[in-house]
Amino acid sequence: MEEKEISQAVIGRLPRYFRYLGELRDEGVERISSQELSELMKVTASQIRQDFNNFGGFGQQGYGYNVEYLYREIGKILGLDHTHNFVIIGAGNLGRALGNYINFERRGFIFRGMFDMNPELIGEEVRGVKVRPMEELEQFVRENDIDIAVLTIPKTSAVELVDKLIQNGIRAIWNFAHVDLNVPEGIQVENVHLSDSLMKLSYNITRYLKESGQDTN
Amino acid sequence: MEEKEISQAVIGRLPRYFRYLGELRDEGVERISSQELSELMKVTASQIRQDFNNFGGFGQQGYGYNVEYLYREIGKILGLDHTHNFVIIGAGNLGRALGNYINFERRGFIFRGMFDMNPELIGEEVRGVKVRPMEELEQFVRENDIDIAVLTIPKTSAVELVDKLIQNGIRAIWNFAHVDLNVPEGIQVENVHLSDSLMKLSYNITRYLKESGQDTN
């Protein structure tokens, strides 16, 4: 399929469409109009049509979109028809939480390995995957066709690690370390900066209190 | 300070400014120009000036901004000069990871309580905070001036819980449940949809492989 240059804002909305369409499909809904989808998702119908037009529009005809078809097509655009092998670096609570998400596997993300520098954790298992020492990381990544590294380690270690990961074939980094990573072109990074998200929440609380006159500062 | 209506995009960038300024301050840097900040953060200097102009510009004069002042002012805008009490609902790995982040406390987010429906977890401690049964949640929220609820529970439970939380005085929800929540005006929600973030990463990997001709599909 020919695709135009698509903004990261549109791409950021695709997983949400995918999620709603998956739920509709599970509920047995066969067709849906952009108007109905708009009400369900609380975005305008024109936004939906614009977003979908980036990908050829998905052939809305007569009464709306075919849910199954749309779900599958968006899944393909998201690359969910491929599998991706990932390792988690950092076997703390966050690493374990991510290793335990079976939903990831359903989307084609296969949890292959887990690494930690704490010798006490080596040999422990998370959903059948053994925690290995950091010394084995590079070889493991090379030999097991790992394309995504999930970083749940402190920021200094993350920065040092990234070059080694890339040299050994990693294509993408899902970064939970509280730092922005410098990577060469072609390496994808998706940041989940939890503190940033919490501060945004704090801003919105504070702002609302001021606007509604509940703040006495 | 008088503030204009500020877009969520600008607000979303504030925590990142705050993070970089905090690091500069820790390194002993006293002044920085928008050009230097631009190179460091890899955003344009004009973007920085535009963003800061939403808040009166922070008085850049002569050679750049005063780092300490800028850091403190952005912190105030983010509401970090207030403290916020939070509870975590769901004592699984993700809930524990969040409970253990001492950085949150430094920003004024105080971890007060943790709740789970699994009786086996009741009484366990995460950073000195006891896991309590769900039956105690509403009273606890009311009596301990809790303003943020962190939800790390399955989506059906999250939807059911939200009304109760709001009735008992919660102002904001930091939502890790894989569902969009319906809340009345004035209640702030910040979503961290981990699967969505992973799918965005998958899109960018797939897209890059296609563009660079490495995809054989």
Side-chain angles (χ1 to χ4, degrees), chain A residues 18 71 80 82 103-109, chain B residues 178 195 199:
Chain A
F18 185 75
Y71 174 78
L80 306 180
H82 295 58
N103 256 333
F104 294 164
E105 203 137 306
R106 269 194 251 147
R107 304 273 186 259
F109 302 97
Chain B
H178 201 210
S195 292
M199 285 191 244

Side-chain angles (χ1 to χ4, degrees), chain A residues 16 20 78 174 180 197 202, chain B residues 16 20 78 174 180 197 202:
Chain A
R16 190 159 177 263
Y20 275 86
L78 288 167
W174 200 21
D180 299 318
S197 164
S202 165
Chain B
R16 190 158 176 264
Y20 275 86
L78 287 169
W174 200 21
D180 299 318
S197 165
S202 165

Side-chain angles (χ1 to χ4, degrees), chain B residues 5-191:
Chain B
E5 183 64 39
I6 293 160
S7 78
Q8 287 290 314
V10 175
I11 295 151
R13 288 193 288 269
L14 287 182
R16 190 158 176 264
Y17 289 120
F18 185 75
R19 177 151 50 91
Y20 275 86
L21 289 162
E23 286 171 9
L24 287 166
R25 192 194 60 156
D26 292 348
E27 290 162 11
V29 176
E30 290 182 7
R31 297 193 76 81
I32 191 161
S33 67
S34 53
Q35 191 54 47
E36 287 167 319
L37 196 55
S38 151
E39 281 160 27
L40 192 66
M41 296 184 60
K42 298 189 168 56
V43 293
T44 65
S46 104
Q47 164 97 82
I48 292 175
R49 285 189 299 264
Q50 268 178 42
D51 283 350
F52 289 0
N53 279 339
N54 284 296
F55 306 97
F58 302 116
Q60 183 182 30
Q61 295 163 358
Y63 181 66
Y65 301 100
N66 178 316
V67 170
E68 173 70 38
Y69 174 77
L70 191 50
Y71 174 78
R72 229 174 31 232
E73 288 301 307
I74 293 180
K76 277 191 222 164
I77 293 167
L78 287 169
L80 305 180
D81 53 341
H82 294 59
T83 57
H84 296 289
N85 293 324
F86 72 91
V87 294
I88 298 175
I89 304 170
N93 284 308
L94 182 57
R96 281 157 197 262
L98 297 171
N100 276 312
Y101 266 109
I102 50 168
N103 256 333
F104 293 164
E105 204 136 303
R106 268 195 252 146
R107 304 272 185 261
F109 301 98
I110 317 294
F111 176 34
R112 294 290 185 199
M114 190 160 207
F115 295 83
D116 203 284
M117 56 188 306
N118 180 351
E120 288 177 26
L121 300 179
I122 309 307
E124 287 192 8
E125 284 197 4
V126 175
R127 208 153 56 80
V129 170
K130 274 213 182 86
V131 180
R132 296 165 194 267
M134 290 297 283
E135 294 71 34
E136 295 179 14
L137 174 64
E138 292 175 69
Q139 189 180 357
F140 188 92
V141 164
R142 252 186 347 258
E143 292 180 354
N144 291 277
D145 194 22
I146 304 299
D147 44 10
I148 302 178
V150 183
L151 303 188
T152 67
I153 49 179
K155 60 183 181 183
T156 38
S157 327
V159 169
E160 288 166 16
L161 204 56
V162 163
D163 289 343
K164 288 186 193 168
L165 288 167
I166 294 171
Q167 281 158 23
N168 287 284
I170 286 284
R171 293 182 191 286
I173 294 170
W174 200 21
N175 177 38
F176 289 79
H178 201 210
V179 62
D180 299 318
L181 302 171
N182 286 319
V183 296
E185 216 201 301
I187 303 297
Q188 314 303 324
V189 177
E190 176 75 16
N191 292 308

